[in-house]
Amino acid sequence: MSTSERIELAVIGRQRPAVVEALGADFVLHDVASLDDVAGSLGPAAERVRGALSNPMIGISAAIMDALPKLEIVTLFGVGLERTDLAAARERGVVVTTTPVLYEDVADTAVVLAMDVSRRITSGDRWLRTGQWAAGGQAVSGKRFSGKRAGILGMGRIGRALAKRLEAFDMQISYYDPRPAPDVAYPLHRSGVELARESDFLFLCAAGGPGVGHVVDAETLAALGPEGVFVNVARGWLVDEPALVDAVTSGAIGGAGLDVFDDEPNVPQALIDADNVVLVPHIASNTVETRSDMDQCVIDNIRSWFSAGSALTPVP
Ligand code: 8YV
């Protein structure tokens, strides 16, 4: 097919090479250099673009959709929808797809972070590497993980996958979700604060919709208490981060395992300096297997839309 006959797609933000390579073979891809000036970035191609590739941290705004009058489909490389204007997409008849293939890995990461903090794995690694064991020191004891009380904030797909894993560790599971899950048998608390008060480990797995605000604040952390461990595999902006910094540095909570931050990739220095905190760079879903499934999901959605007129994983 000649270039002039090929369907044109806008590439918003960094996309994975495998996706760019696969779709680049059949479609004309245009990088959007400036999110503030999509029309200017694309020039005359803006009028021809029929699909866009984005990711949840950028999403797609009504302004970007306005700059792409022929837009039919937007694929998000991930599941978060808080930066995508779904109402504007619906109004314009634009289909939005996600990659709902990552829940298991995110749940695994939540377990790893909780165990790492409580059993002092990363901190022990640091201690060993800095020669303190060889120098005759005695490692500090961790805290037991299995059999403890686990509170899950947000009982969606990640929360459920996490609960399944925690069952195997004989944890006593309860949860809070503003939309209770009728098919879930775990005790439901009336608030995040009440859940935190009844938990040794508090896992934040909630979706970060627009205007949700802080799901975890100073009061929640105070309720979790000095022995409690907080784990976040959801979104940094769902947590009052300065309150979290205070809580881990003052000993108001025992520790934290964090995959996400308020202003990524910037992480407060006080967290970096804290030995009772484990920090990872937003990698909860980042395994070779899941990334490859996510790549395929984006590729298949675009191909299916433009060959069969239907997307495979549209947001309902
Ligand atoms: C991804 C995520 O790491 O799905 C999401 O919303 O935040 C993560 O799983 C991210 O989308 C990669 O761009």
Side-chain angles (χ1 to χ4, degrees):
M1 217 185 274
S2 75
T3 304
S4 61
E5 290 165 338
R6 277 154 69 196
I7 293 167
E8 301 185 39
L9 308 176
V11 178
I12 300 171
R14 212 184 298 160
Q15 296 292 324
R16 299 244 308 160
V19 173
V20 171
E21 198 183 311
L23 292 178
D26 302 328
F27 298 84
V28 179
L29 305 187
H30 299 281
D31 281 323
V32 173
S34 163
L35 290 177
D36 297 328
D37 182 17
V38 173
S41 298
L42 296 179
E47 299 287 326
R48 301 190 301 265
V49 157
R50 293 174 59 193
L53 316 177
S54 187
N55 67 60
M57 302 306 273
I58 298 177
I60 187 151
S61 62
I64 298 183
M65 292 183 232
D66 285 341
L68 306 172
K70 298 235 165 62
L71 190 65
E72 298 167 32
I73 182 168
V74 179
T75 59
L76 297 177
F77 189 82
V79 295
L81 292 170
E82 64 271 53
R83 296 211 163 146
T84 292
D85 193 333
L86 286 179
R90 266 180 218 121
E91 235 169 66
R92 291 159 178 76
V94 173
V95 171
V96 176
T97 68
T98 59
T99 58
V101 293
L102 50 73
Y103 305 110
E104 305 297 319
D105 278 342
V106 177
D108 286 352
T109 306
V111 176
V112 169
L113 287 171
M115 290 187 88
D116 189 328
V117 174
S118 62
R119 298 302 309 273
R120 303 182 62 93
I121 303 298
T122 301
S123 138
D125 175 279
R126 258 192 313 268
W127 185 81
L128 181 153
R129 287 170 198 261
T130 50
Q132 299 183 68
W133 193 24
Q138 182 134 25
V140 178
S141 298
K143 290 260 176 64
R144 181 177 298 155
F145 177 72
S146 27
K148 295 282 178 71
R149 299 170 305 164
I152 301 181
L153 258 175
M155 194 47 89
R157 297 224 239 173
I158 294 168
R160 285 159 205 248
L162 173 61
K164 195 166 115 193
R165 285 153 176 76
L166 298 179
E167 296 247 14
F169 287 97
D170 296 326
M171 309 282 278
Q172 301 153 51
I173 302 165
S174 58
Y175 79 105
Y176 171 68
D177 194 309
R179 285 182 305 179
D183 55 324
V184 163
Y186 308 116
L188 168 70
H189 289 276
R190 278 169 304 188
S191 68
V193 173
E194 188 183 288
L195 176 71
R197 199 174 295 124
E198 299 300 323
S199 301
D200 300 304
F201 292 87
L202 181 67
F203 294 92
L204 181 54
C205 302
V212 169
H214 289 153
V215 172
V216 169
D217 57 12
E219 194 189 355
T220 323
L221 295 165
L224 183 59
E227 302 297 326
V229 170
F230 172 61
V231 171
N232 190 0
V233 288
R235 288 288 187 250
W237 52 75
L238 293 178
V239 179
D240 179 344
E241 201 167 70
L244 177 61
V245 169
D246 279 352
V248 289
T249 53
S250 69
I253 66 170
L258 307 172
D259 178 54
V260 286
F261 305 89
D262 197 25
D263 177 30
E264 295 172 8
N266 302 306
V267 176
Q269 190 59 40
L271 291 178
I272 292 174
D273 293 339
D275 194 48
N276 56 346
V277 176
V278 174
L279 307 167
V280 289
H282 201 145
I283 53 163
S285 67
N286 194 351
T287 62
V288 171
E289 293 86 346
T290 288
R291 284 292 186 255
S292 161
D293 291 347
M294 291 166 78
D295 290 345
Q296 205 53 53
C297 189
V298 169
I299 295 163
D300 291 347
N301 268 302
I302 291 286
R303 285 194 177 139
S304 168
W305 180 259
F306 289 111
S307 64
S310 61
L312 303 179
T313 54
V315 176

